[in-house]
Structure formats: structure tokens, C-alpha cells
Amino acid sequence: MVLDQLASGLVYSSIIVLGSIGLSLVYSIANFANFAHGDTMTIGAYTSLVTFGAIGGLGGTVLGLPFGFFVALVAGIAMAALVAVVTEKVVYDGMDLDSIGLLIASIGLAFIYRSVVQLGFGAQSTRYGIQSLRPIEALVPYGIRVTQHDVAIVVSAAALVTGLHVLLQYSDLGRKMRAMADNPDLARVSGIRTDRIKLWTWVIGAGLAGAGGAFLGLYSQLTPRMGFNLLLLIFAAVILGGIGSVYGAMLGGFLIGMINQLTPLLSDIGIPIGIEYANAIAFVIMVVVLLFRPSGIAGEAS
Amino acid sequence: MSLVEDPKGYWTDLTVAEKGVTAGVVLFAGALLVSLLTGGLTPTYFLYLVGIAGMYALLSLGLNSQWGFSGLINFSVAAFFGIGAYGTALASASGSPIAGGLPPVVGLLAALALAAILALFIGIPTLRLRADYLAIASIGLAEVVRLIVLNQDDWTNGSAGVRGIPSFFDGWPVLGTFPETMPTLVFGSGPGATVLSTSFWQALSNVALVLAFVGVSYLVLRRAHRSPWGRVLRTIRSDEDLARALGKNTYSFKMQSFVLGSLIMALAGVFYAHLNLYVSPGDLDPITTFYVWVAVILGGSGSNRGALFGGVVIVAIQEGTRALPLDAAPIRLLAIGVIIVLLMRFRPQGVLPPQRELIWPGTVDETPQQPDSGVRETKAGEK
């Protein structure tokens, strides 16, 4: 029972981690809380849906997923990144606002994204045309009920996160991004083209969100509200990890996903809080962290 | 300079935006009047719309006294609206799982008390936070409130909602039976005739109620905004450190403004419950929060008349999209989103930013050119 919840916590965490990294990157480099981030995930999911519908399975499968799904995943990532870049260029770039003004503008953008998706696909839920699988036989005796799809989500998320880690630590772009997150003015006078770095931040953040959205659609289903509904959990993850810290966002995303899926254990040990309050627990944790340690668990205490 | 004494001077005194809004309001009112007379809009439905517009105006006034006065980013509007609606519903409805059957005035007081408690509960931890953290924390706590209302079946009936809410004037001496005692009036004849029946008089009494709520709130807020208390709040909004350096307990002032705004939002919820006669957890959906935000930033942050204007525009969007052949929900969402982005891009101060309304009336026109005493007629050295 516990093992099963840990396993499903790991799968859910993977999706939240993909979302929270992008939110944290944008928070530190563009310097505002992006409320459109959840709907960027929705865009990724629906782009994958359309692409997969158009190209089909393309022959073989990996971990129960047709090759075509991975092509669709890349399309979802690309579309989410493209939308973010166009938004940055068209909307945010010309705004002369403080972080609060940008936050409010991002709410407007969130509504625009969601309404476009809803106009195209309706409000009802839908799924990819992929057969859902039975749990992996070998693990069922241990009480773990995960499908190959779940494994694919965790492995793909791990690959993306590792790629990001390599990029941030060892590439020129990564060093510049870290410099800019640390001190934008200093980065600028050092000759870093901060505008360009900002665009790359949007590409990476929104791309990861697009991947998270595509996996969220595979994990449960696609609805126009899917990203918005997850947004607050992602905020909780980012704040728990420490705003601006990518590794904090990973840790925060992991913890929030785990706590969310482990909520049933509370009733087992006699605390009368049911799974319907799983999200509420995360929000309360978020507020407590904001109050007592606003720099998060990975940030430096100030 | 008043409208009655000098209409021409009043008009030339207005800013371009004020002229535009005035013209727009006149046109809109004209269009409504035409559709009323031609039968495109039934009088009862028109009064219902006026009621909803009043409700949004109340919510906007409430948010304006938090965001517009003291710069608090409160994203938990829907929670206060919902707690107001549930407060009165649980006290007065026949279908209430806990109390029920009490007079609606008791419901009103219960709702306000609950809202004040919730405001303290949300405000005490979050008002010390940085502005953007306050936004995230307040929307998170509003979701917690919504989840509690949705899942605590034994207190709130859960997703089934609360039915059997009486109208607000139920049991009042004259107003209680006013809709039933008024005669049914018929204008015109045939199928196109306008019939003013019980539902019309019911709607009329609802409109009277919301107008009373809006009027009282507006006057209180206008007075508060100009008072020394309001000046402190405006100082906090522009520079909190300055206010603190001047010896003001900014946390306490922010809390007062937060509670005041929350009570006004709860008042909107009370009105909604007695208008709709049914409340459900769906009424606490965060979208309400963002509708109200649009109304406030559209009208102009800090401007009470702007908040009234914004409330009316929201209802125009909500009801205008209903007439479209497409699915109304995404169109509405799109309109709201586009308005937010365009406003923040081109006019972040809103359509009707505060102008003279921050100045105590009489201080502009009647200020003497120079003080009565202490000023010499000629400067030193001049003959």
C-alpha cells in the first residue's frame, strides 16, 4: 500500500517537477510570478494531442508508448516554447510595469491561452488515442500498481531534468543564465546580452512545461483547465523549494508530488484528513513556508 | 463646479477618458432603453441584470478598498463572496444542514461575522508578506476555503449546495409581502404585451436592496478614502517604508483595510444568496476573483466610481456573450483575458483613474490666493 503510493507519488512528482522548474526559472530571470505557466502546460498537452492524432503511432513502441507519441511530445515542447517566446516579444517586452503589473498581465494571458484551447476542443475532457495499460505484472505482488506509461513519464522527466542540469552547469548559456538570475544588472554590464538570455529562459521554462503538460495528459486526461488546476500546486512546489533556485524547484516539486499522493496515509495513522484535502495540505504548506522561511528549503536564509 | 449650476463648465472640466466613459454610459443606457421598449429585454430580466451589476460593483468596491487604497493584492475575493453567501444561506435557508429558518437579517449579521473572522484568519499570516507572495498565498487559502465548503458535507451540504433560501425581505412588515400585494400590470395587448407580475416586483425589491448596499458602501468608502485614515492607506500603497517612518503601524492599517474590504465582499455574497435563492461550492470558483480584479483595474485602481463602472462592464461582457451563437464560456474568458492584457499594456492606471475624488471638495475652488495674515503686501525693498 505504502509502496504503491510512493510509486504514484514519484510519477506525479515528475510532472510537477517539469512544471515547477520553468516557473522558478521565469520567476528569477523575468522577475514575476507567471500565472500563465499552468496554461502553457495545457498548450503543450493539446499540441501533443493534435500531433499524435495527425501522425499516428509510427510503428514500434517503447514502454507501451508508440514512437509517434514521442514525436508529439517534442511538438508539444516546441509549441509551448514558441507561444512563450511570442508572448514575451509581443506582450511583456513592451510593458513598462513592476512585477505586480506583469503578474496581472500574466493572468490575462492565462485566460487567453485557456479560452483558445477551449474554443478549439470544447470544455469536455479527452485522451490520447493510446490504449491504457494494465499494471506491470512483476510489481503487482509487492502491491505496486504502475503501468509502463508511468515508468515512461518518470524516465523521460528524469532525462529532461538531467539535460537541464548539464546545460546549466556546463554550457555557456547555463553560466549566463545563472549569472543573470543572481544579479541582472551585473550580468548586463559584464557584456551578457540579457535580452537573449531572457528569451532562452522562456524557451527552456515553457518547453519543460509543455512536456509536463503532455505527460499530465497521459497520466490522467486532457481538459482546458488541466494546467490552471495544477498551477497552485506548482507554485507551492516552487515556494517550498525556494524561488529562483532550479534545484530547489526540483526538490520542492518532488516533495509536493509525494505529499499529494501520500495523503491517504494520514487517515491510516488516525489523522482525519481525507484525500479530498490533498491539495489543501500543499497550499497550507506553501503559506507556512512563505511565513517562516520565504527563501524556501534550498534558498539561503536571509 | 456642479452639474446642475454649470453643465457646460462641468463638461469641459472632464478629462478625455471621463468624457468617453460618460458618452459610453449614455449610449449603453440608451441601447438598454430601446431594447426594453421594443421587448428585446423583459423588465424582470433587466432588473435581474441591474442586481448582478450591483453585486459586481459591491465586490469591486470591496477589492478597491484593499488593492486601490492600500495596495493589498488579495486574490481571495471569491472566498469572501462565498463565505458571505454561505453565511446567510446556512442561517436562513430551509435546506440548511446546521441552523436554518432564521430571519435573513440574522443571516446578514452571521455572514458579516464569518467574513470578519475569515479576513483575520487569512490576513494575520499573509499581510506581512511581500506583495507577490500575498497574491499567491491568498489564492491558495481561498482554495482551501473552497475545498472545505465542497467537502464538509455535514456543515454545508457539500456539492449539493444549499436550497430554500428566503428572499431578503421575507418576514419584514411591508416589504416582505410587497411582491405579492402589488397588482399585476399589463401594458399593451396580445403576445407582445409587457406583463409586470410578482416576479417583476420581487426583482424590483432585490434591486432596491442592492442599491442600498452599494449606496451605503460607496458613501462609507468615499468618506474613508478622503479621511486621514485613507491618507495613511494611500501612503502605504505608494511607500510602505515611508508610512512606517512616519510612525504609522502599517500592519494594523493594512489589516483594517483588508477587513473592511472583505466585509463589503461578503455583503455582495449575502445579496447573491437572496437573489439566486441557492448557493453551491461553484460560487467560490476563483474565476469570480479575476472578474472582480478586471473590474477594478479597468475602472482604475483606487477609484470608487471606476469600480462601479468596472462592475457594469463585467456584467455587459457576461450577458453580451450569452447572445453569441458560439459557446459563451470561452468567449467570455477570452474577452476578460484580452481586456487585462490590453489594459496592462496601454493603460495600466485604468480607464477612470482617481482625479478629483481624492481631494476634499471645496479645497480647490475656494482656496484663497494668499493667506489672510502673515503675508506683507509688498516685498522688502520694493516701494
Side-chain angles (χ1 to χ4, degrees):
Chain A
M1 186 65 183
V2 180
L3 281 178
D4 185 39
Q5 276 147 7
L6 282 174
S8 68
L10 190 63
V11 182
Y12 200 53
S13 299
S14 309
I15 296 167
I16 293 188
V17 164
L18 288 177
S20 56
I21 291 173
L23 189 65
S24 182
L25 273 177
V26 172
Y27 212 141
S28 63
I29 291 192
N31 198 23
F32 72 97
N34 180 17
F35 272 73
H37 195 73
D39 296 274
T40 312
M41 297 179 78
T42 314
I43 290 177
Y46 274 85
T47 309
S48 301
L49 176 75
V50 172
T51 315
F52 185 67
I55 62 173
L58 299 180
T61 60
V62 186
L63 288 169
L65 286 172
F67 291 153
F69 179 79
F70 292 96
V71 179
L73 174 67
V74 173
I77 293 173
M79 182 56 116
L82 179 70
V83 168
V85 168
V86 169
T87 307
E88 158 72 12
K89 280 282 179 198
V90 174
V91 180
Y92 295 127
D93 216 14
M95 283 183 178
D96 180 26
L97 293 173
D98 58 355
S99 61
I100 299 307
L102 291 172
L103 186 158
I104 294 173
S106 76
I107 294 173
L109 286 163
F111 288 171
I112 294 177
Y113 295 167
R114 200 212 301 176
S115 62
V116 170
V117 169
Q118 202 170 331
L119 280 174
F121 298 91
Q124 73 281 19
S125 65
T126 150
R127 285 176 170 280
Y128 300 115
I130 298 173
Q131 189 82 41
S132 44
L133 299 176
R134 302 175 60 79
I136 298 169
E137 292 287 340
L139 294 175
V140 172
Y142 303 99
I144 303 173
R145 303 178 60 84
V146 294
T147 65
Q148 287 189 332
H149 290 169
D150 295 336
V151 177
I153 291 173
V154 175
V155 170
S156 312
L160 286 169
V161 168
T162 313
L164 180 75
H165 167 72
V166 171
L167 180 89
L168 282 179
Q169 291 301 324
Y170 302 109
S171 79
D172 193 42
L173 175 66
R175 271 189 300 122
K176 287 175 179 168
M177 280 174 68
R178 282 184 287 139
M180 198 176 155
D182 217 33
N183 187 337
D185 295 327
L186 187 58
R188 204 173 153 81
V189 296
S190 315
I192 296 175
R193 296 187 181 170
T194 48
D195 287 354
R196 208 175 280 179
I197 302 300
K198 208 180 202 178
L199 274 188
W200 276 111
T201 309
W202 279 106
V203 168
I204 294 169
L208 290 174
F215 288 134
L216 182 62
L218 185 67
Y219 179 71
S220 56
Q221 55 195 6
L222 297 96
T223 64
R225 267 191 82 127
M226 59 193 282
F228 192 77
N229 289 344
L230 201 66
L231 180 68
L232 272 180
L233 275 188
I234 295 176
F235 265 119
V238 169
I239 287 166
L240 177 61
I243 289 168
S245 157
V246 170
Y247 299 99
M250 293 178 194
L251 183 59
F254 176 75
L255 288 176
I256 291 290
M258 279 293 178
I259 291 167
N260 198 279
Q261 297 294 311
L262 291 178
T263 308
L265 293 182
L266 287 179
S267 327
D268 294 352
I269 59 171
I271 301 172
I273 297 177
I275 45 172
E276 65 271 20
Y277 288 114
N279 288 355
I281 292 172
F283 304 154
V284 170
I285 290 175
M286 172 174 84
V287 174
V288 170
V289 171
L290 280 176
L291 280 179
F292 295 107
R293 198 177 160 85
S295 53
I297 41 181
E300 291 165 21
S302 51
Chain B
M1 197 149 329
S2 89
L3 184 59
V4 187
E5 288 163 21
D6 184 6
K8 205 168 183 181
Y10 182 81
W11 180 254
T12 48
D13 244 23
L14 295 180
T15 61
V16 178
E18 286 174 328
K19 284 178 187 167
V21 168
T22 312
V25 167
V26 169
L27 279 178
F28 184 62
L32 280 180
L33 194 66
V34 167
S35 57
L36 261 181
L37 291 176
T38 55
L41 197 64
T42 63
T44 310
Y45 187 62
F46 171 73
L47 288 180
Y48 172 78
L49 290 187
V50 173
I52 294 290
M55 182 190 91
Y56 274 106
L58 266 181
L59 288 169
S60 311
L61 286 173
L63 180 60
N64 195 35
S65 69
Q66 298 173 342
W67 159 245
F69 289 12
S70 28
L72 302 173
I73 306 204
N74 177 13
F75 277 174
S76 51
V77 178
F80 290 105
F81 174 70
I83 211 85
Y86 264 92
T88 191
L90 291 178
S92 65
S94 59
S96 161
I98 43 176
L102 296 168
V105 177
V106 177
L108 170 73
L109 296 176
L112 291 181
L114 274 177
I117 293 168
L118 182 70
L120 292 174
F121 175 74
I122 291 187
I124 286 174
T126 59
L127 289 185
R128 290 187 198 279
L129 296 174
R130 221 174 74 183
D132 50 345
Y133 293 174
L134 171 60
I136 299 168
S138 61
I139 195 174
L141 290 177
E143 275 297 285
V144 173
V145 171
R146 187 180 70 84
L147 287 170
I148 291 173
V149 169
L150 180 63
N151 291 310
Q152 291 300 331
D153 296 11
D154 42 344
W155 301 342
T156 65
N157 266 357
S159 55
V162 180
R163 290 175 195 283
I165 303 170
S167 98
F168 188 77
F169 295 115
D170 206 47
W172 286 39
V174 180
L175 289 168
T177 51
F178 167 76
E180 287 78 21
T181 48
M182 285 304 284
T184 301
L185 302 177
V186 182
F187 296 100
S189 58
T194 305
V195 182
L196 303 183
S197 57
T198 310
S199 62
F200 172 81
W201 301 114
Q202 181 65 51
L204 193 65
S205 67
N206 279 331
V207 167
L209 176 66
V210 80
L211 287 183
F213 281 174
V214 171
V216 169
S217 310
Y218 183 82
L219 291 177
V220 167
L221 286 183
R222 196 177 64 164
R223 182 69 182 79
H225 202 186
R226 283 173 179 159
S227 69
W229 183 79
R231 279 203 298 276
V232 175
L233 293 185
R234 291 194 321 260
T235 313
I236 292 175
R237 184 190 165 144
S238 49
D239 189 342
E240 188 173 345
D241 290 335
L242 175 65
R244 204 176 292 141
L246 292 173
K248 303 297 178 191
N249 182 351
T250 55
Y251 180 68
S252 161
F253 274 94
K254 277 156 67 174
M255 182 63 79
Q256 291 160 21
S257 126
F258 190 73
V259 173
L260 175 68
S262 304
L263 290 180
I264 296 175
M265 292 170 190
L267 212 50
V270 170
F271 169 72
Y272 174 78
H274 291 293
L275 174 77
N276 209 23
L277 309 184
Y278 167 67
V279 292
S280 71
D283 298 328
L284 278 83
D285 192 282
I287 191 75
T288 309
T289 300
F290 297 117
Y291 274 134
V292 179
W293 267 90
V294 173
V296 169
I297 56 177
L298 177 72
S301 306
S303 157
N304 283 328
R305 54 178 192 169
L308 294 178
F309 168 69
V312 175
V313 172
I314 290 300
V315 175
I317 291 172
Q318 284 200 331
E319 298 302 320
T321 48
R322 207 164 279 201
L324 295 173
L326 292 157
D327 184 11
I331 299 278
R332 211 174 286 164
L333 207 57
L334 185 65
I336 295 288
V338 169
I339 289 180
I340 295 179
V341 171
L342 288 181
L343 269 178
M344 297 319 285
R345 177 78 176 73
F346 296 107
R347 206 177 160 87
Q349 75 273 37
V351 177
L352 284 180
Q355 307 264 355
R356 283 172 291 269
E357 67 185 86
L358 297 186
I359 304 168
W360 195 264
T363 49
V364 186
D365 298 336
E366 289 145 39
T367 312
Q369 289 298 313
Q370 64 178 19
D372 295 337
S373 61
V375 181
R376 275 168 291 180
E377 286 298 321
T378 53
K379 285 182 190 159
E382 284 179 10
K383 289 279 167 156

